């Protein structure tokens, strides 16, 4: 696993990014936290499993509906060593993409700093609905969700691949609590069940340091689709071999969750390798 805004400096952001791009090793984002650019504000997960029930979820801006017939608080999970959210260092430098306006995006398949490399892999359009587990599972608007994960070969941008910044992005939930990311199915690497990392913040502005999150957690990939995707060894290398080595129940992150938490945190998915997959998942917090 791996690893994260006021207005007076907003005009400086294009110049900062231009200079970083010119050097082409801005991908390490050295010391950006000391010159954080405040993005416009829009507007504590724990491992408890209190339930709340309501009717099916409202349709999001993409037309996709995520059911919230029964929502619980998602379990808190580690953000791992590669979050690039300002909370850790890589090669002695702090990486923080959350200070950059270019990180606010729905399609996270391409690198957005230094290169324009597009991560190879099977397409996934993932719709997330953020709800209040204490308030009849109502959708939560104006919160920021940061998403990141490894590529098809199990590598993380900005860390394993310091010249790439793909498979990372942050968005703000719409009026019904929805965001949709276009990404790829992540690969399986040794010691972990395949997963996607995410953090929830009260706003984009609150996300700049990565230290004021409402929830840090992970999504589990659905097993049947993982088996189908990993059969493509040209794209996914040894994922097919690694996948069965760490089942969800024995994973060092998901293994101590309740069954209900793992059910909610496992992405529901339809589609095919050739056409791509559509995924939906619910996130519950106490708000």
């Amino acid at each position: 696993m791996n690893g994260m805004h006021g207005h007076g400096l907003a005009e400086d952001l294009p110049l900062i990014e231009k200079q970083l791009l010119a050097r082409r090793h801005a991908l390490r984002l050295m010391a950006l936290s000391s010159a954080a650019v405040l993005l416009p504000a829009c507007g504590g997960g724990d491992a408890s499993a209190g339930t709340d029930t309501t009717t099916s979820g409202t349709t999001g801006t993409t037309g996709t509906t995520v059911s919230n017939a029964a929502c619980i608080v998602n379990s808190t999970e580690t953000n791992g060593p590669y979050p690039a959210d300002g909370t850790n260092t890589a090669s002695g430098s702090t990486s923080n993409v959350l200070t950059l306006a270019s990180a606010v995006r729905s399609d996270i398949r391409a690198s957005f700093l230094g290169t324009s490399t597009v991560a190879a892999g099977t397409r996934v359009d993932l719709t997330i609905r953020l709800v209040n587990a204490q308030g009849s599972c109502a959708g939560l608007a104006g919160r920021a969700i940061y998403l990141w994960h490894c590529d098809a070969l199990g590598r993380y941008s900005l860390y394993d691949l310091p010249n790439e910044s793909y498979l990372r992005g942050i968005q703000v939930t719409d009026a019904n609590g929805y965001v949709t990311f276009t990404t790829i199915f992540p690969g399986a690497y040794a010691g972990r069940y395949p997963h996607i990392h995410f953090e929830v913040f009260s706003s984009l502005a609150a996300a700049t340091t990565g230290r004021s999150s409402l929830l840090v957690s992970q999504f589990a990939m659905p097993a049947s689709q993982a088996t189908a995707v990993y059969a493509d060894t040209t794209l996914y290398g040894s994922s097919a071999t690694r996948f069965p080595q760490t089942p969800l129940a024995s994973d060092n992150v998901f293994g101590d969750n309740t069954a209900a938490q793992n059910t909610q945190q496992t992405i529901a998915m339809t589609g095919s390798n050739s056409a791509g997959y559509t995924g939906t998942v619910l996130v519950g917090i106490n708000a």
Side-chain angles (χ1 to χ4, degrees):
M1 302 172 300
N2 301 328
M4 282 216 237
H5 277 64
H7 188 43
L9 296 179
E11 294 78 6
D12 293 339
L13 180 59
L15 177 59
I16 291 171
E17 291 189 78
K18 181 178 180 181
Q19 291 170 339
L20 292 173
L21 291 172
R23 290 197 299 267
R24 292 192 69 86
H25 82 257
L27 305 166
R28 295 182 184 275
L29 302 176
M30 297 179 180
L32 274 176
S33 58
S34 64
V37 177
L38 202 56
L39 297 179
C42 300
D46 57 31
S48 63
T51 59
D52 204 342
T53 58
T54 186
T55 56
S56 295
T58 307
T59 301
T61 54
T62 63
T64 300
T65 297
V66 179
S67 174
N68 59 340
C71 74
I72 61 174
V73 175
N74 280 60
S75 65
T76 296
E77 315 290 9
T78 177
N79 66 357
Y82 314 116
D85 63 357
T87 63
N88 70 348
T89 61
S91 301
S93 300
T94 299
S95 296
N96 189 354
V97 300
L98 298 181
T99 61
L100 300 177
S102 51
V104 183
R105 61 198 190 131
S106 59
D107 190 334
I108 65 173
R109 292 175 295 175
S111 287
F112 60 96
L113 292 168
T115 78
S116 56
T117 305
V118 177
T122 301
R123 175 171 173 157
V124 174
D125 292 296
L126 175 61
T127 296
I128 303 165
R129 191 177 193 214
L130 180 67
V131 299
N132 183 2
Q134 289 185 319
S136 300
C137 301
L140 293 171
R143 275 64 166 185
I145 298 179
Y146 172 43
L147 197 77
W148 76 97
H149 61 82
C150 71
D151 67 10
L153 299 179
R155 306 167 301 181
Y156 285 85
S157 66
L158 298 174
Y159 295 87
D160 301 313
L161 302 170
N163 293 325
E164 303 299 344
S165 52
Y166 54 48
L167 306 180
R168 299 178 181 275
I170 186 168
Q171 290 190 78
V172 174
T173 57
D174 69 11
N176 295 310
Y178 285 92
V179 293
T180 296
F181 289 93
T182 297
T183 186
I184 66 164
F185 203 103
Y189 55 85
R192 281 301 317 277
Y193 186 86
H195 58 281
I196 291 176
H197 296 264
F198 70 96
E199 295 179 338
V200 180
F201 298 90
S202 60
S203 66
L204 286 176
T208 53
T209 68
R211 299 183 187 277
S212 57
S213 59
L214 303 175
L215 174 69
V216 179
S217 193
Q218 298 180 27
F219 297 128
M221 306 310 294
S224 59
Q225 282 80 10
T227 299
V229 169
Y230 297 158
D232 185 347
T233 57
T234 300
L235 277 176
Y236 282 88
S238 58
S239 286
T241 300
R242 292 172 174 167
F243 173 52
Q245 295 174 352
T246 308
L248 183 68
S250 60
D251 181 71
N252 61 16
V253 170
F254 299 116
D256 61 353
N257 289 350
T258 68
Q261 286 170 333
N262 279 339
T263 295
Q264 180 165 287
Q265 288 170 214
T266 298
I267 298 169
M269 198 169 281
T270 59
S272 66
N273 288 7
S274 57
Y277 291 90
T278 297
T280 58
V281 68
L282 189 71
V283 175
I285 64 172
N286 288 330

